[in-house]
Amino acid sequence: MKKSRDWFSTLAIIGGLLLVLYPTISNFLNLRNATRVIEQYSEAVDELTDDEAQQLMDAARTYNAKLAGLSGIPAAEGGWDAIDASTAAQLREEYMGLLDLTGTGVMGYITIPRLDETMPIYHTTEEKVLQVATGHIETSSLPVGGASTHAAISGHRGLPSAKLFTELDKMQLGDIFYVKVLKETFAYQVDQILTVLPEETEALAIEPRADYVTLVTCTPYAINSHRLLVRAHAIPYLPSMEGEVGVMGNPINLSWPHLALIAALILLAVVLAGMRLRQLERRDKDEFLEERGGAHAAPGKGEAHEHAGRHFK
């Protein structure tokens, strides 16, 4: 019975550790997958000629110009003049085929030094995308820079399986992040942080001549009644920034309370293991003494029998 209790205690500690470590283990696996996706994307980009890459970029920028045109921005300011009723339907059909170099829906990746994160950017914000990476909000501009563009990139917050935009609320005015698409890298500096209701989308509108990227997630943490919008404007990408682009994040996805709980469980496991070891040592000692006691008792009996035999003779 005591042995069963010992096994139960051990299994309970192991189960507790696995439960607490699940976010880190899962985030590590998600990070490995993101690294593999970005490496495959980079390899596909390297195989493109400069002319091929420019053609793909030009198609994306034409798309953005038409999207700006739907907002009433003329060609002189980065929009599109030839807009008619069929333009919106045409853009929806074009969207999925643009910048999808590997056929997986990846259009590039984003590096956010403040969050210690590099994540693929996929087409759309479907749930299967947001469970593993960031998604491009398809009603916004493609993230290829240029006048009259406003790309919106969405990510989940608080997933136990992946960090993603969990710490987006740590972003500060002046922070810089990077977007890599094809052979070009774009740098953006945060200039506005807003909390709005889900239906309040005015802050995502395309503005004439502006070049914005907004990062979007749910807030407050675990309640998700509002949206956190972290907007940034384009700044020159400098050679000194190159070392920050594509740096993968730390896989540890644990808060201080979780780390404290892990430490407590490990300490408890060590204490229980020590107690169990002492119990085994005492048991072995007792068994040894019993064996020695039996060995001493046996000759005594023999001598008694021999004495009795001599007496009857």
Short mmCIF file of all heavy atoms in Angstrom, two decimals, residues 38-80:
data_model
loop_
_atom_site.label_atom_id
_atom_site.label_comp_id
_atom_site.label_asym_id
_atom_site.label_seq_id
_atom_site.Cartn_x
_atom_site.Cartn_y
_atom_site.Cartn_z
N ILE A 38 10.18 29.56 -42.44
CA ILE A 38 10.94 30.73 -42.88
C ILE A 38 12.16 30.31 -43.70
O ILE A 38 12.50 30.96 -44.70
CB ILE A 38 11.35 31.58 -41.66
CG1 ILE A 38 10.11 32.25 -41.06
CG2 ILE A 38 12.40 32.63 -42.04
CD1 ILE A 38 10.34 32.94 -39.74
N GLU A 39 12.81 29.22 -43.31
CA GLU A 39 13.96 28.73 -44.09
C GLU A 39 13.52 28.29 -45.48
O GLU A 39 14.20 28.59 -46.48
CB GLU A 39 14.61 27.56 -43.36
CG GLU A 39 15.41 27.98 -42.13
CD GLU A 39 15.97 26.79 -41.36
OE1 GLU A 39 15.56 25.64 -41.68
OE2 GLU A 39 16.79 27.01 -40.45
N GLN A 40 12.39 27.61 -45.57
CA GLN A 40 11.87 27.18 -46.88
C GLN A 40 11.52 28.39 -47.74
O GLN A 40 11.80 28.42 -48.94
CB GLN A 40 10.66 26.28 -46.70
CG GLN A 40 10.99 24.92 -46.10
CD GLN A 40 9.74 24.11 -45.76
OE1 GLN A 40 8.62 24.63 -45.77
NE2 GLN A 40 9.93 22.85 -45.42
N TYR A 41 10.91 29.39 -47.10
CA TYR A 41 10.57 30.62 -47.82
C TYR A 41 11.84 31.32 -48.32
O TYR A 41 11.91 31.73 -49.49
CB TYR A 41 9.77 31.54 -46.91
CG TYR A 41 9.43 32.88 -47.53
CD1 TYR A 41 8.36 33.01 -48.41
CD2 TYR A 41 10.19 34.01 -47.24
CE1 TYR A 41 8.06 34.23 -48.98
CE2 TYR A 41 9.89 35.23 -47.81
CZ TYR A 41 8.82 35.34 -48.68
OH TYR A 41 8.53 36.56 -49.26
N SER A 42 12.84 31.42 -47.46
CA SER A 42 14.09 32.09 -47.84
C SER A 42 14.79 31.36 -48.98
O SER A 42 15.36 31.99 -49.88
CB SER A 42 15.01 32.21 -46.62
OG SER A 42 14.41 32.99 -45.61
N GLU A 43 14.76 30.03 -48.94
CA GLU A 43 15.36 29.25 -50.02
C GLU A 43 14.65 29.50 -51.34
O GLU A 43 15.29 29.62 -52.40
CB GLU A 43 15.33 27.76 -49.67
CG GLU A 43 16.28 27.38 -48.53
CD GLU A 43 16.07 25.96 -48.06
OE1 GLU A 43 15.17 25.26 -48.62
OE2 GLU A 43 16.77 25.53 -47.12
N ALA A 44 13.30 29.57 -51.29
CA ALA A 44 12.53 29.85 -52.51
C ALA A 44 12.83 31.25 -53.04
O ALA A 44 12.92 31.45 -54.26
CB ALA A 44 11.04 29.70 -52.23
N VAL A 45 13.01 32.21 -52.14
CA VAL A 45 13.35 33.58 -52.56
C VAL A 45 14.72 33.60 -53.21
O VAL A 45 14.93 34.27 -54.24
CB VAL A 45 13.31 34.54 -51.35
CG1 VAL A 45 13.90 35.90 -51.72
CG2 VAL A 45 11.88 34.72 -50.86
N ASP A 46 15.67 32.87 -52.64
CA ASP A 46 17.03 32.84 -53.19
C ASP A 46 17.06 32.28 -54.61
O ASP A 46 17.97 32.62 -55.39
CB ASP A 46 17.96 32.02 -52.29
CG ASP A 46 18.23 32.71 -50.96
OD1 ASP A 46 18.03 33.95 -50.88
OD2 ASP A 46 18.63 32.01 -50.00
N GLU A 47 16.12 31.41 -54.93
CA GLU A 47 16.08 30.82 -56.27
C GLU A 47 15.50 31.77 -57.31
O GLU A 47 15.62 31.52 -58.51
CB GLU A 47 15.26 29.53 -56.24
CG GLU A 47 15.93 28.41 -55.43
CD GLU A 47 15.07 27.17 -55.33
OE1 GLU A 47 13.96 27.18 -55.90
OE2 GLU A 47 15.49 26.20 -54.67
N LEU A 48 14.86 32.85 -56.87
CA LEU A 48 14.29 33.82 -57.80
C LEU A 48 15.38 34.71 -58.38
O LEU A 48 16.33 35.08 -57.69
CB LEU A 48 13.28 34.72 -57.09
CG LEU A 48 11.94 34.12 -56.65
CD1 LEU A 48 11.17 35.16 -55.86
CD2 LEU A 48 11.13 33.64 -57.84
N THR A 49 15.24 35.06 -59.65
CA THR A 49 16.10 36.09 -60.21
C THR A 49 15.58 37.44 -59.72
O THR A 49 14.44 37.56 -59.24
CB THR A 49 16.09 36.06 -61.74
OG1 THR A 49 14.76 36.39 -62.21
CG2 THR A 49 16.47 34.67 -62.26
N ASP A 50 16.40 38.47 -59.85
CA ASP A 50 15.96 39.80 -59.44
C ASP A 50 14.75 40.26 -60.25
O ASP A 50 13.84 40.91 -59.71
CB ASP A 50 17.10 40.80 -59.61
CG ASP A 50 18.22 40.58 -58.59
OD1 ASP A 50 17.96 39.88 -57.58
OD2 ASP A 50 19.33 41.09 -58.80
N ASP A 51 14.73 39.91 -61.53
CA ASP A 51 13.59 40.30 -62.38
C ASP A 51 12.31 39.59 -61.94
O ASP A 51 11.24 40.21 -61.89
CB ASP A 51 13.89 39.95 -63.85
CG ASP A 51 14.91 40.89 -64.47
OD1 ASP A 51 15.11 41.99 -63.89
OD2 ASP A 51 15.51 40.54 -65.50
N GLU A 52 12.41 38.30 -61.61
CA GLU A 52 11.23 37.56 -61.15
C GLU A 52 10.69 38.13 -59.84
O GLU A 52 9.48 38.29 -59.67
CB GLU A 52 11.58 36.08 -60.98
CG GLU A 52 11.82 35.35 -62.29
CD GLU A 52 12.37 33.94 -62.08
OE1 GLU A 52 12.99 33.70 -61.02
OE2 GLU A 52 12.20 33.10 -62.98
N ALA A 53 11.60 38.43 -58.93
CA ALA A 53 11.18 39.01 -57.66
C ALA A 53 10.52 40.37 -57.86
O ALA A 53 9.51 40.69 -57.21
CB ALA A 53 12.38 39.15 -56.73
N GLN A 54 11.06 41.16 -58.78
CA GLN A 54 10.49 42.48 -59.03
C GLN A 54 9.11 42.38 -59.65
O GLN A 54 8.21 43.17 -59.33
CB GLN A 54 11.43 43.27 -59.96
CG GLN A 54 11.06 44.75 -60.09
CD GLN A 54 11.07 45.48 -58.77
OE1 GLN A 54 12.06 45.42 -58.03
NE2 GLN A 54 9.97 46.15 -58.43
N GLN A 55 8.90 41.39 -60.51
CA GLN A 55 7.57 41.20 -61.12
C GLN A 55 6.54 40.86 -60.04
O GLN A 55 5.41 41.38 -60.06
CB GLN A 55 7.63 40.09 -62.17
CG GLN A 55 8.37 40.47 -63.44
CD GLN A 55 8.52 39.31 -64.40
OE1 GLN A 55 7.93 38.25 -64.20
NE2 GLN A 55 9.31 39.49 -65.44
N LEU A 56 6.91 39.99 -59.11
CA LEU A 56 5.99 39.63 -58.03
C LEU A 56 5.70 40.83 -57.14
O LEU A 56 4.56 41.04 -56.70
CB LEU A 56 6.60 38.50 -57.19
CG LEU A 56 6.76 37.14 -57.89
CD1 LEU A 56 7.56 36.19 -57.01
CD2 LEU A 56 5.39 36.55 -58.22
N MET A 57 6.73 41.63 -56.87
CA MET A 57 6.55 42.81 -56.05
C MET A 57 5.68 43.85 -56.77
O MET A 57 4.81 44.49 -56.16
CB MET A 57 7.91 43.41 -55.71
CG MET A 57 7.86 44.50 -54.64
SD MET A 57 7.31 43.91 -53.02
CE MET A 57 8.77 43.05 -52.47
N ASP A 58 5.89 44.00 -58.05
CA ASP A 58 5.09 44.96 -58.83
C ASP A 58 3.62 44.57 -58.83
O ASP A 58 2.74 45.43 -58.73
CB ASP A 58 5.61 45.04 -60.27
CG ASP A 58 6.95 45.75 -60.38
OD1 ASP A 58 7.33 46.45 -59.41
OD2 ASP A 58 7.62 45.61 -61.42
N ALA A 59 3.34 43.27 -58.94
CA ALA A 59 1.94 42.80 -58.93
C ALA A 59 1.28 43.12 -57.59
O ALA A 59 0.12 43.53 -57.52
CB ALA A 59 1.89 41.31 -59.22
N ALA A 60 2.06 42.93 -56.51
CA ALA A 60 1.52 43.22 -55.18
C ALA A 60 1.26 44.72 -55.01
O ALA A 60 0.26 45.13 -54.42
CB ALA A 60 2.49 42.73 -54.11
N ARG A 61 2.13 45.54 -55.54
CA ARG A 61 1.96 46.99 -55.41
C ARG A 61 0.83 47.51 -56.30
O ARG A 61 0.16 48.48 -55.94
CB ARG A 61 3.29 47.69 -55.72
CG ARG A 61 4.28 47.50 -54.57
CD ARG A 61 5.63 48.09 -54.82
NE ARG A 61 6.43 48.01 -53.59
CZ ARG A 61 7.76 47.91 -53.55
NH1 ARG A 61 8.45 47.85 -54.69
NH2 ARG A 61 8.39 47.84 -52.39
N THR A 62 0.62 46.87 -57.42
CA THR A 62 -0.54 47.23 -58.24
C THR A 62 -1.83 46.90 -57.50
O THR A 62 -2.79 47.68 -57.50
CB THR A 62 -0.50 46.47 -59.58
OG1 THR A 62 0.67 46.86 -60.31
CG2 THR A 62 -1.74 46.79 -60.42
N TYR A 63 -1.84 45.75 -56.84
CA TYR A 63 -2.98 45.37 -56.02
C TYR A 63 -3.24 46.42 -54.94
O TYR A 63 -4.37 46.85 -54.72
CB TYR A 63 -2.71 44.00 -55.38
CG TYR A 63 -3.72 43.56 -54.36
CD1 TYR A 63 -4.82 42.78 -54.72
CD2 TYR A 63 -3.57 43.91 -53.01
CE1 TYR A 63 -5.74 42.36 -53.76
CE2 TYR A 63 -4.49 43.49 -52.05
CZ TYR A 63 -5.58 42.72 -52.44
OH TYR A 63 -6.49 42.33 -51.50
N ASN A 64 -2.17 46.85 -54.27
CA ASN A 64 -2.31 47.85 -53.21
C ASN A 64 -2.84 49.17 -53.75
O ASN A 64 -3.65 49.85 -53.09
CB ASN A 64 -0.96 48.08 -52.51
CG ASN A 64 -0.62 46.99 -51.52
OD1 ASN A 64 -1.47 46.17 -51.16
ND2 ASN A 64 0.62 46.96 -51.08
N ALA A 65 -2.39 49.54 -54.94
CA ALA A 65 -2.85 50.80 -55.54
C ALA A 65 -4.36 50.73 -55.82
O ALA A 65 -5.09 51.69 -55.57
CB ALA A 65 -2.08 51.08 -56.82
N LYS A 66 -4.81 49.59 -56.32
CA LYS A 66 -6.25 49.42 -56.58
C LYS A 66 -7.04 49.45 -55.27
O LYS A 66 -8.12 50.03 -55.21
CB LYS A 66 -6.50 48.11 -57.33
CG LYS A 66 -5.95 48.09 -58.75
CD LYS A 66 -6.19 46.72 -59.39
CE LYS A 66 -5.63 46.67 -60.80
NZ LYS A 66 -5.83 45.33 -61.42
N LEU A 67 -6.49 48.83 -54.23
CA LEU A 67 -7.15 48.84 -52.93
C LEU A 67 -7.26 50.26 -52.40
O LEU A 67 -8.30 50.66 -51.85
CB LEU A 67 -6.36 47.97 -51.95
CG LEU A 67 -7.06 47.54 -50.67
CD1 LEU A 67 -8.25 46.64 -50.97
CD2 LEU A 67 -6.07 46.81 -49.75
N ALA A 68 -6.20 51.05 -52.57
CA ALA A 68 -6.24 52.45 -52.15
C ALA A 68 -7.23 53.23 -52.99
O ALA A 68 -7.92 54.13 -52.49
CB ALA A 68 -4.84 53.06 -52.27
N GLY A 69 -7.32 52.87 -54.27
CA GLY A 69 -8.29 53.53 -55.15
C GLY A 69 -9.71 53.33 -54.68
O GLY A 69 -10.55 54.23 -54.79
N LEU A 70 -10.00 52.15 -54.14
CA LEU A 70 -11.34 51.89 -53.61
C LEU A 70 -11.64 52.80 -52.41
O LEU A 70 -12.81 53.05 -52.10
CB LEU A 70 -11.47 50.43 -53.17
CG LEU A 70 -11.54 49.38 -54.29
CD1 LEU A 70 -11.52 47.98 -53.71
CD2 LEU A 70 -12.80 49.57 -55.13
N SER A 71 -10.60 53.29 -51.75
CA SER A 71 -10.78 54.22 -50.64
C SER A 71 -10.84 55.68 -51.09
O SER A 71 -10.88 56.59 -50.26
CB SER A 71 -9.62 54.06 -49.63
OG SER A 71 -9.58 52.74 -49.11
N GLY A 72 -10.79 55.86 -52.42
CA GLY A 72 -10.88 57.21 -52.96
C GLY A 72 -9.56 57.93 -53.12
O GLY A 72 -9.53 59.14 -53.33
N ILE A 73 -8.46 57.20 -53.03
CA ILE A 73 -7.14 57.81 -53.17
C ILE A 73 -6.72 57.75 -54.64
O ILE A 73 -6.65 56.67 -55.22
CB ILE A 73 -6.12 57.10 -52.28
CG1 ILE A 73 -6.54 57.22 -50.81
CG2 ILE A 73 -4.72 57.67 -52.48
CD1 ILE A 73 -5.68 56.42 -49.85
N PRO A 74 -6.41 58.88 -55.26
CA PRO A 74 -6.06 58.91 -56.69
C PRO A 74 -4.64 58.39 -56.94
O PRO A 74 -3.84 58.26 -56.01
CB PRO A 74 -6.16 60.40 -57.04
CG PRO A 74 -5.87 61.10 -55.76
CD PRO A 74 -6.44 60.23 -54.67
N ALA A 75 -4.36 58.14 -58.20
CA ALA A 75 -3.05 57.61 -58.58
C ALA A 75 -1.92 58.56 -58.20
O ALA A 75 -0.82 58.13 -57.86
CB ALA A 75 -3.02 57.32 -60.08
N ALA A 76 -2.19 59.85 -58.21
CA ALA A 76 -1.16 60.84 -57.87
C ALA A 76 -0.68 60.70 -56.43
O ALA A 76 0.42 61.14 -56.10
CB ALA A 76 -1.70 62.25 -58.11
N GLU A 77 -1.48 60.07 -55.60
CA GLU A 77 -1.12 59.90 -54.19
C GLU A 77 -0.89 58.43 -53.83
O GLU A 77 -0.90 58.07 -52.65
CB GLU A 77 -2.21 60.50 -53.30
CG GLU A 77 -2.35 62.01 -53.47
CD GLU A 77 -3.40 62.60 -52.54
OE1 GLU A 77 -4.33 61.85 -52.15
OE2 GLU A 77 -3.29 63.79 -52.22
N GLY A 78 -0.68 57.59 -54.85
CA GLY A 78 -0.39 56.19 -54.59
C GLY A 78 -1.58 55.27 -54.76
O GLY A 78 -1.47 54.06 -54.52
N GLY A 79 -2.73 55.82 -55.18
CA GLY A 79 -3.92 55.01 -55.36
C GLY A 79 -4.10 54.58 -56.81
O GLY A 79 -3.12 54.28 -57.51
N TRP A 80 -5.36 54.56 -57.25
CA TRP A 80 -5.69 54.05 -58.59
C TRP A 80 -6.89 54.83 -59.11
O TRP A 80 -7.87 54.99 -58.38
CB TRP A 80 -6.01 52.56 -58.50
CG TRP A 80 -6.04 51.82 -59.81
CD1 TRP A 80 -7.13 51.56 -60.56
CD2 TRP A 80 -4.92 51.25 -60.49
NE1 TRP A 80 -6.79 50.84 -61.68
CE2 TRP A 80 -5.41 50.63 -61.65
CE3 TRP A 80 -3.55 51.19 -60.23
CZ2 TRP A 80 -4.60 49.97 -62.57
CZ3 TRP A 80 -2.74 50.52 -61.12
CH2 TRP A 80 -3.25 49.92 -62.28
#
